[in-house]
Amino acid sequence: MRVLILGGDGYLGWPTAMAFAMKGHEVAAMDNYLRRNIARETCSEALTPNPNLIERARAFQPLTGKKVEVVIGDCADYRVLSEVFNKFQPEVVIHYAEQPSAPYSMMGYEQARVTLANNLTATFNVIQAVMSSAPQCHIIKLGTMGEYGTPNIDIEEGWLDIEHNGRKDKFLFPRQAGSLYHTTKVLDTDLLWFYVRTFGLRVTDLMQGPVYGLSTPEADMDERLIPNFHYDDIFGTVVNRFLTQAVAGVPLTVYGKGGQTRGYLNLIDTLQCVELAMLNPAGKGELRILNQFVELFSVNQIADKVKKVGDGMGLNVKIESIANPRKEREEHYYNAAHSGLKELGLKPHPMTDEVVAGMLERIIRYRERIDRGKIMPRVRWS
Ligand SMILES: NC(=O)c1ccc[n+]([C@@H]2O[C@H](COP(=O)([O-])OP(=O)(O)OC[C@H]3O[C@@H](n4cnc5c(N)ncnc54)[C@H](O)[C@@H]3O)[C@@H](O)[C@H]2O)c1
């Protein structure tokens, strides 16, 4: 298939580009380096030394004989994006191109404005480019489980049947996000749903939980191909942060009571999920929503897991509860449906002790690059 990956330089985008090229798809990856620029501005650079997208694609080709076409450009610029659509004529577009940091979106006016404008304009432009240049193209959009928040009822996969005053209808599941970034994802979903029901687009919105890991078959071939691995308070997801803290000999920073429960998945399962969504496209006029995670863990459970494995490797891991910089429930009910991707064929890779040990070993190789100044939270919600 002809696959256009937006945000192709990102933590998920680059591994996806390589994996799909290896499977024989024709892949184009587009990025404007927004994440690298924000990381530089906020002193949140990745632990790993990642060549830029052009250099990575150049390194990948001779190793594999496979090509990833690179476009450096801004998806929020419609002229640029529509040119890419006209030229490449994608059969599927995978839209990762957003500002994904909740803390960044909560830093102040300018960061909030950038997040809102970038994420909504990019999504709006993807919709418009599909409608005008590639109407059959399947849009696979990365949403987040954070759109649902932590309601005191079971979370369904996107939709909820409601009976009210004796009548029934089906609606998007109520969403109540906990940061401006997560709120832009809610707004993206509403935008997509409007265009799906009005103009018959085909869209899959993947409500993904936090992803961990830095190993994929392609990334393991050469150091230049590994994904951007962040461990700071702005871009680092909790598992990646705890692993790096364990290696650095810094106590794992549990926010508040640590009962915050979410659905997690390994990077290699993200690749599987996105591929399954691509090979089993949504129908015309369908907004298919799939909850994309494999296992539920509380923050305390993740800290305990990292401590147990780290201690076994002689790291002497400590855990410390610190004041929660976010506004969120620290103890809550959490039960989320996630059968859709399994029905499509997902074979989950759970977070075993071996998986945790493998990640710690990889991070130990970059130990000298860990900057302790990037570890403690710098952004507070209020
Ligand atoms: N990583 C996770 O744990 C996780 C969890 C849930 C959802 N998601 C979602 O998955 C997607 C990818 O996440 P990620 O972790 O790879 O983030 P990332 O920041 O590493 O990747 C996003 C990429 O998109 C690029 N980008 C942003 N705006 C752009 C624009 N206007 N034009 C071109 N490129 C642009 C960035 O430069 C970056 O390289 C995001 O939409 C994120 O919200 C990620």
Side-chain angles (χ1 to χ4, degrees), residues 7 10-12 31-32 34-35 74-75 96 100 118 181 185 209 211:
Y11 174 55
L12 305 180
D31 207 290
N32 68 346
L34 179 71
R35 174 164 179 139
D74 184 356
C75 302
Y96 291 122
N118 183 69
Y181 151 67
K185 300 298 233 188
V211 184

Side-chain angles (χ1 to χ4, degrees), residues 14-80:
W14 173 241
T16 310
M18 290 192 290
F20 287 7
M22 286 306 278
K23 299 220 167 185
H25 300 292
E26 203 180 315
V27 177
M30 177 170 177
D31 207 290
N32 68 346
Y33 298 137
L34 179 71
R35 174 164 179 139
R36 289 181 191 254
N37 292 335
I38 292 178
R40 243 194 327 271
E41 276 165 27
T42 57
C43 288
S44 312
E45 292 92 348
L47 176 66
T48 42
N50 305 110
N52 69 35
L53 184 54
I54 296 171
E55 292 162 339
R56 285 166 147 176
R58 237 184 243 149
F60 178 66
Q61 193 165 351
L63 286 170
T64 58
K66 304 288 182 191
K67 186 171 179 204
V68 171
E69 198 178 312
V70 171
V71 182
I72 302 303
D74 184 356
C75 302
D77 182 336
Y78 185 65
R79 194 185 46 79
V80 174

